[in-house]
Amino acid sequence: MSKGLFITFEGTDGCGKSTQLQLLSEYLKQQGFDVVLTREPGGTQISEKIRDIILDPNNKEESEVTEALLYAASRAQHVAEKIKPALESGKIVLCDRFMDSSIAYQAYARGLGEDVIAINMFAIQGCSPDVTFFLDLDPRIGQERQVARGKLDRLEQEGLAFQEKVYAGYKELINKYPDRFKVVNANREIRDIQSDIVCLIKNLLKQ
């Protein structure tokens, strides 16, 4: 059992995870907590290099199996080098995506199934989130946001049909793990979303 608290944020592309992670990190630091803010794929020097390979739009030859294995490899390094040590020292780890992303994107949307779960269970070595915030946003809105921002990465270029499959995958995960997932309506003002997350975090910390 870790002494820290592992919190992940999930959702389809364009749902606002990064913004809410940063706001929650600032709030928790103001409350006196030692916070580690990180992301996937990435989080360490090795993992960030793998991220560049995965998301590079020029890597059009990258197979779906290669993609899934690269995500798992990045995650394994991230857990071993950064997440586990932080939790063992009593810190709160806030992570932008984790294993649920691989299940939603590769197992469900890519259709790779149980093999994705198997390689990621090996990668995380028993390091699972204590709570996961799912920022619930219509994939169509998220897609519009991403297109408006421009310069889409390789996964973001997959289009709306792919994002809808990802969304359906997340919904299955939420039904499977209702105690861990906290669903937050992400189609609102940033501060309203933050308010809900802070309220949920306060209840969690009391426990």
Side-chain angles (χ1 to χ4, degrees):
M1 293 291 290
S2 65
K3 294 182 292 184
L5 186 65
F6 187 17
I7 301 170
T8 57
F9 277 64
E10 297 284 354
T12 51
D13 294 330
C15 68
K17 294 186 297 12
S18 300
T19 298
Q20 291 303 325
L21 269 161
Q22 186 62 49
L23 290 172
L24 180 57
S25 175
E26 293 169 2
Y27 168 79
L28 289 171
K29 287 177 180 178
Q30 289 170 359
Q31 304 306 307
F33 292 100
D34 196 346
V35 179
V36 172
L37 182 61
T38 190
R39 70 174 183 175
E40 290 209 343
T44 70
Q45 184 177 7
I46 293 172
S47 300
E48 289 289 338
K49 288 181 178 179
I50 298 173
R51 177 191 179 92
D52 291 341
I53 295 170
I54 296 172
L55 300 180
D56 187 342
N58 294 317
N59 291 340
K60 300 185 185 303
E61 303 85 359
E62 188 177 314
S63 77
E64 295 175 353
V65 173
T66 299
E67 178 185 282
L69 289 167
L70 286 172
Y71 271 114
S74 174
R75 183 162 297 123
Q77 184 64 30
H78 192 201
V79 167
E81 184 180 341
K82 191 169 191 176
I83 296 175
K84 269 193 173 181
L87 293 173
E88 288 167 358
S89 64
K91 298 176 182 179
I92 295 180
V93 176
L94 301 179
C95 190
D96 187 341
R97 298 197 181 282
F98 196 60
M99 179 174 164
D100 294 311
S101 281
S102 283
I103 298 174
Y105 280 77
Q106 281 77 50
Y108 284 97
R110 295 290 195 206
L112 297 180
E114 294 294 322
D115 288 340
V116 173
I117 298 173
I119 60 174
N120 278 280
M121 290 301 290
F122 180 56
I124 67 174
Q125 296 289 298
C127 184
S128 297
D130 295 297
V131 63
T132 299
F133 288 104
F134 177 71
L135 298 192
D136 194 350
L137 183 71
D138 185 329
R140 188 178 300 276
I141 297 174
Q143 182 75 9
E144 290 171 355
R145 289 179 181 178
Q146 294 299 92
V147 171
R149 290 170 187 165
K151 201 174 181 180
L152 304 181
D153 66 38
R154 197 175 62 83
L155 270 291
E156 291 166 349
Q157 289 180 358
E158 289 290 342
L160 180 59
F162 180 75
Q163 291 295 327
E164 288 175 339
K165 290 179 183 178
V166 171
Y167 185 79
Y170 274 124
K171 288 297 183 177
E172 288 205 31
L173 282 168
I174 291 165
N175 290 334
K176 189 173 182 180
Y177 304 106
D179 293 336
R180 175 166 64 85
F181 274 92
K182 309 299 178 187
V183 179
V184 179
N185 178 4
N187 191 22
R188 296 178 295 160
E189 294 295 325
I190 290 173
R191 290 297 173 181
D192 292 334
I193 299 169
Q194 182 199 18
S195 178
D196 280 3
I197 291 172
V198 167
C199 183
L200 289 165
I201 281 292
K202 285 180 178 178
N203 291 332
L204 181 66
L205 294 174
K206 287 178 182 177
Q207 297 171 20

